[in-house]
Amino acid sequence: MICVRSASLRTLRTVPFLRSSSFSSHQPNAPLDLDKSFRTILRDIDNSITEKKAKGHHPLPDIHELTVYPTESAPTELSHKDGEPNPRAERKSPAALFGSQQIGAIVVPQELQQSIAALISDSDRRLLRRDARRLFNDRGDDNDWDLALNVHYRSYKQARRHAERDGTAFASVVLPAHYSAIYAVLHHVKSRLGPRWSVQNVLDWGAGTGSALWAASYAFQKLDFLNGEDEGRQGTLSSTAIIKYVGIEKRDGLVDIGRRLLEDIPHDSLNISWQRKLHHDSYSQPHDGSHTMAISAFFLSTLRTSLQRKSLVKEMWESGAETIVLLDHSSPVGFQSVAEARELLLSLGRKEVGDHGSEENMTSGSHVLAPCPHDGVCPIHRSEVAKLVCGFSQRMERPPFVRRTKHSGVGHEDIGYAYVVIRRGSRPTIPDVKVGRLGEVGRRQMQLEEAKHPIVELDLDGGDPWTPLEPTVASTSPEETVEPHGRNLAEIDSLLKAEASHWPRLVFPPLKKSGHVVMDVCAPSGKILRMTIPKSQGKQPYYDARKSSWGDIFPHEPKNPPQVRFSQNHQVGNDRSKAGQVP
């Protein structure tokens, strides 16, 4: 040992810039006696780091609840100077911006995070981890969690013994994910209908711990709060526009946890009640059911028989709600439950129209608001591919308690869901004009074409010496050149809302190739079509297709006839999902 230390000291003394007075001084942390050249290098590095911090240091913004991270489809993207609109955000056409999801990763509200964190702190964390794995991860893979609660106990006494533990595990793992999916659907419907869709009463079947309560409360905020002077404020449960919430739930353990989450949060203006079965005298609504939304999220697939599911859907229809929202897991079982409920609600609407004897009554009947652009039979549900589902995905920023419960360091989570939104009344008619098809890309292309001088030739036969030929115009889409002038933004927005009910929706992620984009869409004809948008169709349609994403509705028509992949009766063409690769 002594020989090794002596050799190490001799080696350090031979290095010129590591000679230290600590070897000869008894003072702790004595300063190093560095070589002059090495000291100069360190001083230059310090100066460069200090200068870089002084020029480019910008404090990170605080993350608040409901913070939506801007994406390529966000219409409110601003530039970094003078508040001028970002040219990149204006490149997409207004119609493509309207058809995009317009939402990024969702952050769970701070009120909800604090309530769940307090609930977890009062419980045994090791037992919570064990219950979460037992309920939602029985395969033992920490990267494969199932958000469906399908546990069934042998007796009522056993179910009551596990009720509180199961509810705590549900709130710590499933509640944030369900909140994100429900909020994404409500946000999309709000962007489609605009301010004229106001919800005051919410009827929630299979309420669980109140996922739809939190999502609807934050999705519908009071107008005076949203239009306040302080734009940095975030929504709260006390500032919601919802007046009455009725949760229908028979699982007492989940109801108890849902009530505990609301104990320390002020919600004086919101009347919340939990019932085992809906009592019509417990809420008041207008005769036509306006301002009332009936919702059932991730509950239909937990019912054992189709008779139970039909009974629940009929009860939602008989509630008189103007809008009915159904969500379930993006799985074959969940999608089948949503598709069957969709067919039942549409048949009930047609029966109501037949009973009235006329379709002129705007409040009778029903139509699909989202995601389908038609009211016919779902072509994917009736296809021959058993594992093919019409599902979508929403990203959520994982709260700290979710990462700790799942033992995962990943900061985000993608929630798959299938949904349908049914609205009473007939589907809006298609406007006679098409608006919003030109963005910055299309306008720039038209300016370049107008700047081109026409080719002229000299006539030597005594005629007009300068006979201009017809200008050569690059190939553009016919709809791109039709942009009515003299319309204000409100009129254009109203026309886009009516048009959007008949635009095809991307049911799979688009295939973005070199020179063209391939999109599988659900068309208004009730078929799954494969559209190809080539670069030769025009810069604006091609740019909008390049920036499209899974779940968007696409306003441009294809240049060439699309290929039919699925119809309402049979499967057509080659399906890339036969091997079970469902997006």
Side-chain angles (χ1 to χ4, degrees), residues 65-94:
E65 60 272 15
L66 291 184
T67 301
V68 177
Y69 295 96
T71 59
E72 294 176 347
S73 60
T76 58
E77 199 176 37
L78 298 179
S79 64
H80 59 278
K81 18 170 140 171
D82 299 333
E84 296 178 357
N86 191 348
R88 177 168 294 184
E90 294 182 349
R91 291 177 184 176
K92 293 183 69 173
S93 63

Side-chain angles (χ1 to χ4, degrees), residues 65-66 111 217-218 220-221 225 234-241 265-266:
E65 60 272 15
L66 291 184
E111 288 181 331
S217 299
Y218 277 82
F220 301 99
Q221 293 285 306
F225 179 85
Q234 301 295 326
T236 59
L237 203 65
S238 59
S239 62
T240 180
I265 298 179

Side-chain angles (χ1 to χ4, degrees), residues 108-362:
V108 179
Q110 193 66 26
E111 288 181 331
L112 182 56
Q113 290 193 38
Q114 293 175 355
S115 298
I116 298 177
L119 179 68
I120 294 175
S121 63
D122 296 338
S123 60
D124 187 349
R125 299 186 181 182
R126 292 186 178 180
L127 189 61
L128 172 62
R129 164 73 177 176
R130 193 182 311 161
D131 292 335
R133 290 177 63 89
R134 173 177 58 88
L135 296 173
F136 309 110
N137 192 8
D138 54 355
R139 290 181 290 271
D141 186 4
D142 285 337
N143 297 323
D144 187 13
W145 288 76
D146 188 8
L147 300 179
L149 182 61
N150 294 320
V151 60
H152 298 284
Y153 295 101
R154 298 179 180 177
S155 62
Y156 178 77
K157 183 182 295 184
Q158 185 182 16
R160 288 296 303 170
R161 187 168 62 250
H162 289 84
E164 183 178 356
R165 291 167 48 185
D166 293 354
T168 305
F170 185 92
S172 61
V173 175
V174 179
L175 176 56
H178 286 184
Y179 165 85
S180 302
I182 298 171
Y183 182 84
V185 171
L186 297 181
H187 180 275
H188 177 65
V189 177
K190 279 182 59 180
S191 64
R192 287 281 304 277
L193 296 178
R196 62 187 178 94
W197 187 46
S198 61
V199 176
Q200 298 178 356
N201 301 321
V202 177
L203 309 177
D204 185 11
W205 277 263
T209 56
S211 306
L213 166 63
W214 289 91
S217 299
Y218 277 82
F220 301 99
Q221 293 285 306
K222 295 179 181 177
L223 293 179
D224 55 352
F225 179 85
L226 295 177
N227 298 331
E229 297 179 357
D230 186 6
E231 296 181 357
R233 294 185 302 173
Q234 301 295 326
T236 59
L237 203 65
S238 59
S239 62
T240 180
I242 305 296
I243 299 176
K244 179 71 176 180
Y245 171 84
V246 179
I248 299 97
E249 180 59 75
K250 296 182 179 180
R251 296 169 290 187
D252 297 332
L254 299 182
V255 174
D256 294 339
I257 296 299
R259 287 173 174 168
R260 288 178 59 182
L261 294 176
L262 297 168
E263 287 180 354
D264 299 331
I265 298 179
H267 54 277
D268 300 334
S269 61
L270 176 59
N271 186 0
I272 302 175
S273 63
W274 306 82
Q275 303 175 4
R276 297 182 63 87
K277 186 177 181 181
L278 179 64
H279 304 289
H280 292 277
D281 56 350
S282 62
Y283 71 99
S284 60
Q285 64 173 357
H287 178 70
D288 57 353
S290 60
H291 309 297
T292 302
M293 178 181 68
I295 186 172
S296 178
F298 304 98
F299 182 67
L300 281 175
S301 59
T302 62
L303 300 178
R304 295 186 176 183
T305 63
S306 59
L307 183 61
Q308 291 177 327
R309 292 190 289 269
K310 289 181 179 179
S311 176
L312 185 143
V313 174
K314 287 183 179 179
E315 189 175 0
M316 296 178 68
W317 175 263
E318 292 172 356
S319 67
E322 181 185 25
T323 306
I324 301 176
V325 182
L326 294 167
L327 291 91
D328 217 302
H329 302 282
S330 182
S331 62
V333 177
F335 171 64
Q336 181 179 0
S337 302
V338 173
E340 292 176 352
R342 173 186 178 275
E343 293 182 1
L344 178 58
L345 290 172
L346 291 176
S347 64
L348 291 174
R350 289 190 292 267
K351 181 180 179 181
E352 186 180 70
V353 172
D355 293 341
H356 285 81
S358 175
E359 297 185 0
E360 295 179 357
N361 189 0
M362 298 299 295

Side-chain angles (χ1 to χ4, degrees), residues 16-66:
F17 56 85
L18 290 179
R19 291 195 302 270
S20 174
S21 60
S22 63
F23 296 112
S24 58
S25 175
H26 298 286
Q27 298 179 1
N29 299 328
L32 293 175
D33 186 13
L34 301 177
D35 185 70
K36 292 183 179 181
S37 59
F38 188 68
R39 192 183 301 114
T40 304
I41 294 175
L42 292 179
R43 184 170 59 252
D44 295 340
I45 293 175
D46 291 339
N47 294 336
S48 62
I49 293 176
T50 304
E51 183 180 358
K52 185 176 181 181
K53 287 183 178 180
K55 291 183 178 180
H57 177 69
H58 298 284
L60 294 176
D62 296 334
I63 298 179
H64 300 284
E65 60 272 15
L66 291 184

